[in-house]
Amino acid sequence: MPLYSARVLVSLRPSVLDPAGEATRAAASRLGVDGVSKLRIGKAVEVELEAPNPQAAREQLELLSDRLLANPVIENWTLELKDDVSAGA
Amino acid sequence: MPLYSARVLVSLRPSVLDPAGEATRAAASRLGVDGVSKLRIGKAVEVELEAPNPQAAREQLELLSDRLLANPVIENWTLELKDDVSAGA
């Protein structure tokens, strides 16, 4: 069965505060890096999944993202699906 | 001053265990998504930074990534820098 590689990016919704990101932004300026106008920390989930075809892979990854990887009340997610990677990489 | 938008992806080194990822992989199979052969959870940091030119932006982001965003003992990071985004998007 083909192997698909995907990355799910989970980010806080714009209306949700990000205290860790704010703290990191403050630390950046103490490190001498000024000019950071935005810094928000999200999750990047790397997944490898066997599926019969790209459509099935995408459906399963969307289910995972909605139900397990992101909390839809406070987070958005985007899916980047690569083609069959079982040969080669 | 131009505004640069960047994403820093921070992932655990391959030799480092990822218990949260393993737990999520087990939960995926309980959810009916079989065939997940790998699932590792990292961080995706979205940064907007003012800098005089792309080289300066990249240097400052590399400093941030090395010193603040990733723990080089257990994590790798990669930087995706977009061009000046102050006009338009």
Side-chain angles (χ1 to χ4, degrees):
Chain A
M1 196 137 62
L3 184 68
Y4 296 91
S5 174
R7 175 184 293 156
V8 181
L9 292 168
V10 180
S11 57
L12 287 168
R13 288 181 184 273
S15 58
V16 177
L17 292 175
D18 177 9
E22 268 310 302
T24 306
R25 196 159 77 92
S29 117
R30 289 196 296 276
L31 194 64
V33 179
D34 296 313
V36 177
S37 55
K38 188 185 126 184
L39 193 158
R40 286 177 75 82
I41 301 176
K43 283 182 291 187
V45 186
E46 302 285 341
V47 186
E48 282 182 12
L49 175 85
E50 284 188 346
N53 55 60
Q55 291 72 33
R58 181 171 290 277
E59 277 169 25
Q60 297 211 304
L61 287 162
E62 287 176 351
L63 178 66
L64 274 191
S65 304
D66 255 342
R67 299 281 297 277
L68 277 185
L69 304 181
N71 174 354
V73 176
I74 55 166
E75 291 171 326
N76 291 320
W77 56 267
T78 55
L79 173 61
E80 298 170 0
L81 179 62
K82 288 161 218 159
D83 278 342
D84 181 5
V85 292
S86 42
Chain B
M1 196 139 59
L3 183 68
Y4 296 90
S5 175
R7 174 185 294 156
V8 181
L9 292 167
V10 180
S11 58
L12 287 169
R13 287 181 185 272
S15 59
V16 177
L17 292 174
D18 176 11
E22 269 310 301
T24 306
R25 196 159 78 90
S29 118
R30 288 196 297 275
L31 194 65
V33 178
D34 296 312
V36 177
S37 56
K38 188 186 127 184
L39 194 158
R40 285 176 77 83
I41 301 177
K43 283 182 290 183
V45 186
E46 301 285 342
V47 186
E48 282 182 14
L49 176 85
E50 284 187 344
N53 55 58
Q55 290 72 31
R58 181 171 291 277
E59 276 168 26
Q60 296 209 307
L61 287 162
E62 287 176 352
L63 177 65
L64 275 191
S65 303
D66 255 342
R67 300 281 298 275
L68 277 184
L69 304 181
N71 174 353
V73 177
I74 57 166
E75 291 171 328
N76 291 321
W77 56 267
T78 55
L79 173 61
E80 298 169 1
L81 179 62
K82 289 161 218 160
D83 277 343
D84 182 5
V85 293
S86 42

